Amino acid sequence: MSWKILINDGMEESGVNALKSLGFEVDTQKIPQEDLPHKLQEYHGIIVRSATKVRKELIDVCPGLKFIARGGVGMDNIDVSYARDKGIAVINTPAASSRSVAELAMAHLLSTTRGLQDANRQFSGGDQFSALKKKWSSCSEIQNKTLLLLGFGRIGSELAKMATAMGMHVIVNDPFVEKANLKIKLGFQEVDIELPMVSREEGLTKADYVSLHAPFTGSALLGKNEFAIMKKGCFVINTSRGENIDEDALLHALDAGIVSAAGLDVFQNEPHIKEALIQHPKICTSAHIGASTMEAQERIAGELVEKINELFKSKSL
């Protein structure tokens, strides 16, 4: 007997077809969260992204569930330990989207530095051209600026490579990492670089840029107290989890001139995002698209298919 799998938050067609070719029964019709406790009981596995939540209450009413798969890195929408204690495999794809998310973080970093988010809103040519050109002539370059990475996993290290190549000084805070080592290609050679490790407090006082790359662990990484000690005029980038930033504290810091600008791909209470964040002239926004590249989606689908098939074969032995 094969498994019946629900793909509830979408998946690349190549992955869907690959699962079907391996004999799995696949359903791609999204089931609303409130209907899952009843309908998920028909399935052996569920594939989600960030929208669908697989919590203890849902797990308890689905005794036939063999696996929960997350297409992406973070799994804070899944009660991972509880599921595994119940004998349910929990799968994710930690490496597949790292480059794509890091590139988006760099895009936000550059956009906020040059004021592109506000310039794009205002620019219409004509009489405004000269005034806007003058307005944004006070922007600076990122070379020789200090970037603090809060989190040094796969995404953080990818961004560190880009930032280092562009002449930035990168410092790292990650309580789970002893050394922040990078391998960078220079021509035909690979060079090992060890980045300075700092406390969060020290890093916030030194950094011209702060980029978040850590899972949400129950409290915001940047709140009122953290903004209060930041280097004045710094830039904040978040492509991790919306809950990692106290959004009201960020808005206050922007209006007070503590933070020059922010680039946000993630928000609290998605998709119900505060209008003040979307409309703020110093905030560059995107719709949680860090992993939304063709290359990343193909890698995610391929990695999930491989892991699910390996799991099925191990359970069938």
Side-chain angles (χ1 to χ4, degrees):
M1 183 188 78
S2 189
W3 285 344
K4 185 176 182 181
I5 300 171
L6 173 64
I7 301 175
N8 213 45
D9 293 336
M11 186 182 192
E12 280 294 298
E13 188 176 352
S14 60
V16 176
N17 292 337
L19 286 171
K20 290 178 178 178
S21 70
L22 290 167
F24 296 105
E25 183 180 347
V26 181
D27 188 350
T28 59
Q29 183 175 354
K30 184 175 179 63
I31 296 175
Q33 186 75 45
E34 61 271 19
D35 295 336
L36 282 173
H38 172 65
K39 295 190 175 181
L40 187 58
Q41 296 180 36
E42 305 171 13
Y43 297 88
H44 298 95
I46 180 171
I47 299 174
V48 302
R49 295 297 299 269
S50 4
T52 301
K53 309 293 187 287
V54 189
R55 300 297 185 199
K56 175 181 180 294
E57 296 77 14
L58 180 58
I59 293 167
D60 282 341
V61 297
C62 299
L65 209 58
K66 305 294 184 185
F67 74 86
I68 303 163
R70 160 76 162 99
V73 183
M75 297 194 289
D76 42 357
N77 56 323
I78 302 168
D79 285 341
V80 177
S81 297
Y82 188 79
R84 287 174 174 162
D85 287 344
K86 289 281 188 178
I88 300 169
V90 183
I91 300 164
N92 70 335
T93 58
S97 59
S98 300
R99 176 72 188 193
S100 294
V101 180
E103 285 190 2
L104 182 67
M106 178 55 75
H108 273 292
L109 191 154
L110 291 169
S111 181
T112 52
T113 300
R114 298 302 297 268
L116 295 184
Q117 75 287 345
D118 195 32
N120 283 334
R121 290 187 182 106
Q122 295 187 40
F123 184 69
S124 60
D127 295 338
Q128 286 187 319
F129 190 88
S130 295
L132 288 173
K133 182 177 179 180
K134 183 177 180 180
K135 178 180 180 179
W136 295 115
S137 65
S138 60
C139 294
S140 62
E141 299 177 351
I142 66 170
Q143 188 174 14
N144 294 322
K145 302 300 191 300
T146 298
L147 167 64
L148 169 64
L149 299 176
L150 293 180
F152 195 69
R154 292 178 175 87
I155 298 169
S157 60
E158 282 291 332
L159 180 59
K161 293 176 186 177
M162 298 177 201
T164 300
M166 296 182 76
M168 300 188 80
H169 305 299
V170 181
I171 57 177
V172 176
N173 171 257
D174 190 324
F176 304 104
V177 173
E178 290 185 9
K179 291 184 178 181
N181 294 321
L182 279 184
K183 285 187 178 292
I184 297 181
K185 287 186 177 179
L186 294 176
F188 297 104
Q189 289 186 321
E190 205 168 51
V191 179
D192 290 313
I193 297 176
E194 185 174 334
L195 302 174
M197 299 287 292
V198 296
S199 67
R200 194 191 318 178
E201 292 73 17
E202 180 188 357
L204 291 173
T205 63
K206 292 181 175 180
D208 301 295
Y209 295 83
V210 179
S211 190
L212 281 63
H213 301 284
F216 178 63
T217 57
S219 59
L221 290 174
L222 297 182
K224 181 180 178 181
N225 293 336
E226 286 74 25
F227 286 117
I229 64 171
M230 275 186 176
K231 182 177 180 180
K232 188 174 181 180
C234 72
F235 295 78
V236 173
I237 310 297
N238 189 15
T239 54
S240 60
R241 285 290 178 267
E243 293 81 3
N244 276 334
I245 292 183
D246 180 328
E247 292 176 345
D248 290 332
L250 172 62
L251 287 168
H252 174 77
L254 286 163
D255 292 338
I258 298 168
V259 174
S260 288
L264 306 177
D265 184 51
V266 289
F267 306 86
Q268 297 174 16
N269 305 315
E270 294 177 11
H272 308 293
I273 302 164
K274 291 179 181 178
E275 191 69 18
L277 294 171
I278 297 172
Q279 298 299 330
H280 202 289
K282 295 181 180 179
I283 298 180
C284 178
T285 58
S286 54
H288 204 148
I289 58 169
S292 299
T293 63
M294 292 183 292
E295 294 88 348
Q297 295 306 307
E298 288 288 346
R299 289 193 296 265
I300 287 170
E303 191 172 338
L304 283 178
V305 170
E306 183 178 335
K307 289 184 175 181
I308 291 168
N309 193 42
E310 287 177 358
L311 179 65
F312 175 73
K313 288 191 290 187
S314 70
K315 296 284 187 182
S316 301
L317 292 175

PDB file of all heavy atoms in Angstrom, residues 236-248:
ATOM      1  N   VAL A 236      17.867  47.942   9.242  1.00  0.00           N
ATOM      2  CA  VAL A 236      17.420  46.646   9.750  1.00  0.00           C
ATOM      3  C   VAL A 236      16.799  45.835   8.614  1.00  0.00           C
ATOM      4  O   VAL A 236      15.946  46.343   7.875  1.00  0.00           O
ATOM      5  CB  VAL A 236      16.391  46.830  10.885  1.00  0.00           C
ATOM      6  CG1 VAL A 236      15.792  45.490  11.296  1.00  0.00           C
ATOM      7  CG2 VAL A 236      17.036  47.517  12.083  1.00  0.00           C
ATOM      8  N   ILE A 237      17.251  44.584   8.487  1.00  0.00           N
ATOM      9  CA  ILE A 237      16.730  43.678   7.450  1.00  0.00           C
ATOM     10  C   ILE A 237      16.184  42.424   8.132  1.00  0.00           C
ATOM     11  O   ILE A 237      16.874  41.817   8.952  1.00  0.00           O
ATOM     12  CB  ILE A 237      17.835  43.272   6.455  1.00  0.00           C
ATOM     13  CG1 ILE A 237      18.606  44.499   5.931  1.00  0.00           C
ATOM     14  CG2 ILE A 237      17.242  42.447   5.312  1.00  0.00           C
ATOM     15  CD1 ILE A 237      17.779  45.477   5.156  1.00  0.00           C
ATOM     16  N   ASN A 238      14.967  42.019   7.781  1.00  0.00           N
ATOM     17  CA  ASN A 238      14.408  40.790   8.353  1.00  0.00           C
ATOM     18  C   ASN A 238      13.809  39.903   7.277  1.00  0.00           C
ATOM     19  O   ASN A 238      12.795  40.228   6.664  1.00  0.00           O
ATOM     20  CB  ASN A 238      13.342  41.101   9.403  1.00  0.00           C
ATOM     21  CG  ASN A 238      12.911  39.860  10.168  1.00  0.00           C
ATOM     22  OD1 ASN A 238      13.574  38.822  10.121  1.00  0.00           O
ATOM     23  ND2 ASN A 238      11.804  39.953  10.874  1.00  0.00           N
ATOM     24  N   THR A 239      14.475  38.756   7.048  1.00  0.00           N
ATOM     25  CA  THR A 239      13.941  37.729   6.144  1.00  0.00           C
ATOM     26  C   THR A 239      13.754  36.421   6.906  1.00  0.00           C
ATOM     27  O   THR A 239      13.677  35.362   6.303  1.00  0.00           O
ATOM     28  CB  THR A 239      14.897  37.497   4.952  1.00  0.00           C
ATOM     29  OG1 THR A 239      16.210  37.197   5.451  1.00  0.00           O
ATOM     30  CG2 THR A 239      14.966  38.712   4.051  1.00  0.00           C
ATOM     31  N   SER A 240      13.687  36.502   8.243  1.00  0.00           N
ATOM     32  CA  SER A 240      13.598  35.292   9.063  1.00  0.00           C
ATOM     33  C   SER A 240      12.152  35.005   9.451  1.00  0.00           C
ATOM     34  O   SER A 240      11.451  34.272   8.757  1.00  0.00           O
ATOM     35  CB  SER A 240      14.486  35.423  10.301  1.00  0.00           C
ATOM     36  OG  SER A 240      14.093  36.524  11.111  1.00  0.00           O
ATOM     37  N   ARG A 241      11.697  35.586  10.552  1.00  0.00           N
ATOM     38  CA  ARG A 241      10.323  35.456  11.030  1.00  0.00           C
ATOM     39  C   ARG A 241       9.833  36.823  11.496  1.00  0.00           C
ATOM     40  O   ARG A 241      10.565  37.572  12.139  1.00  0.00           O
ATOM     41  CB  ARG A 241      10.236  34.453  12.193  1.00  0.00           C
ATOM     42  CG  ARG A 241      10.356  33.000  11.749  1.00  0.00           C
ATOM     43  CD  ARG A 241       9.104  32.566  10.973  1.00  0.00           C
ATOM     44  NE  ARG A 241       9.188  31.197  10.482  1.00  0.00           N
ATOM     45  CZ  ARG A 241       9.632  30.842   9.290  1.00  0.00           C
ATOM     46  NH1 ARG A 241      10.082  31.783   8.453  1.00  0.00           N
ATOM     47  NH2 ARG A 241       9.635  29.590   8.912  1.00  0.00           N
ATOM     48  N   GLY A 242       8.584  37.141  11.178  1.00  0.00           N
ATOM     49  CA  GLY A 242       8.039  38.438  11.553  1.00  0.00           C
ATOM     50  C   GLY A 242       8.061  38.683  13.040  1.00  0.00           C
ATOM     51  O   GLY A 242       8.270  39.811  13.503  1.00  0.00           O
ATOM     52  N   GLU A 243       7.874  37.614  13.821  1.00  0.00           N
ATOM     53  CA  GLU A 243       7.835  37.740  15.275  1.00  0.00           C
ATOM     54  C   GLU A 243       9.189  38.116  15.871  1.00  0.00           C
ATOM     55  O   GLU A 243       9.267  38.484  17.047  1.00  0.00           O
ATOM     56  CB  GLU A 243       7.352  36.436  15.905  1.00  0.00           C
ATOM     57  CG  GLU A 243       5.908  36.087  15.617  1.00  0.00           C
ATOM     58  CD  GLU A 243       5.706  35.445  14.246  1.00  0.00           C
ATOM     59  OE1 GLU A 243       6.716  35.211  13.535  1.00  0.00           O
ATOM     60  OE2 GLU A 243       4.551  35.180  13.874  1.00  0.00           O
ATOM     61  N   ASN A 244      10.249  38.033  15.083  1.00  0.00           N
ATOM     62  CA  ASN A 244      11.576  38.379  15.588  1.00  0.00           C
ATOM     63  C   ASN A 244      11.777  39.881  15.783  1.00  0.00           C
ATOM     64  O   ASN A 244      12.781  40.311  16.354  1.00  0.00           O
ATOM     65  CB  ASN A 244      12.664  37.839  14.659  1.00  0.00           C
ATOM     66  CG  ASN A 244      13.004  36.393  14.959  1.00  0.00           C
ATOM     67  OD1 ASN A 244      12.830  35.940  16.079  1.00  0.00           O
ATOM     68  ND2 ASN A 244      13.498  35.672  13.971  1.00  0.00           N
ATOM     69  N   ILE A 245      10.822  40.683  15.290  1.00  0.00           N
ATOM     70  CA  ILE A 245      10.891  42.136  15.487  1.00  0.00           C
ATOM     71  C   ILE A 245       9.595  42.617  16.122  1.00  0.00           C
ATOM     72  O   ILE A 245       8.502  42.266  15.665  1.00  0.00           O
ATOM     73  CB  ILE A 245      11.119  42.880  14.156  1.00  0.00           C
ATOM     74  CG1 ILE A 245      12.514  42.582  13.594  1.00  0.00           C
ATOM     75  CG2 ILE A 245      10.968  44.388  14.349  1.00  0.00           C
ATOM     76  CD1 ILE A 245      12.835  43.334  12.316  1.00  0.00           C
ATOM     77  N   ASP A 246       9.710  43.423  17.171  1.00  0.00           N
ATOM     78  CA  ASP A 246       8.560  44.126  17.732  1.00  0.00           C
ATOM     79  C   ASP A 246       8.219  45.249  16.746  1.00  0.00           C
ATOM     80  O   ASP A 246       8.954  46.238  16.649  1.00  0.00           O
ATOM     81  CB  ASP A 246       8.918  44.689  19.114  1.00  0.00           C
ATOM     82  CG  ASP A 246       7.769  45.429  19.769  1.00  0.00           C
ATOM     83  OD1 ASP A 246       6.947  46.038  19.054  1.00  0.00           O
ATOM     84  OD2 ASP A 246       7.707  45.429  21.007  1.00  0.00           O
ATOM     85  N   GLU A 247       7.130  45.089  16.015  1.00  0.00           N
ATOM     86  CA  GLU A 247       6.830  46.014  14.931  1.00  0.00           C
ATOM     87  C   GLU A 247       6.524  47.424  15.421  1.00  0.00           C
ATOM     88  O   GLU A 247       6.888  48.412  14.767  1.00  0.00           O
ATOM     89  CB  GLU A 247       5.672  45.457  14.099  1.00  0.00           C
ATOM     90  CG  GLU A 247       6.070  44.193  13.344  1.00  0.00           C
ATOM     91  CD  GLU A 247       4.935  43.547  12.592  1.00  0.00           C
ATOM     92  OE1 GLU A 247       3.750  43.894  12.853  1.00  0.00           O
ATOM     93  OE2 GLU A 247       5.214  42.691  11.734  1.00  0.00           O
ATOM     94  N   ASP A 248       5.861  47.553  16.568  1.00  0.00           N
ATOM     95  CA  ASP A 248       5.593  48.892  17.113  1.00  0.00           C
ATOM     96  C   ASP A 248       6.890  49.584  17.516  1.00  0.00           C
ATOM     97  O   ASP A 248       7.061  50.789  17.297  1.00  0.00           O
ATOM     98  CB  ASP A 248       4.651  48.789  18.321  1.00  0.00           C
ATOM     99  CG  ASP A 248       3.240  48.385  17.919  1.00  0.00           C
ATOM    100  OD1 ASP A 248       2.837  48.693  16.784  1.00  0.00           O
ATOM    101  OD2 ASP A 248       2.554  47.745  18.740  1.00  0.00           O
TER     102      ASP A 248
END
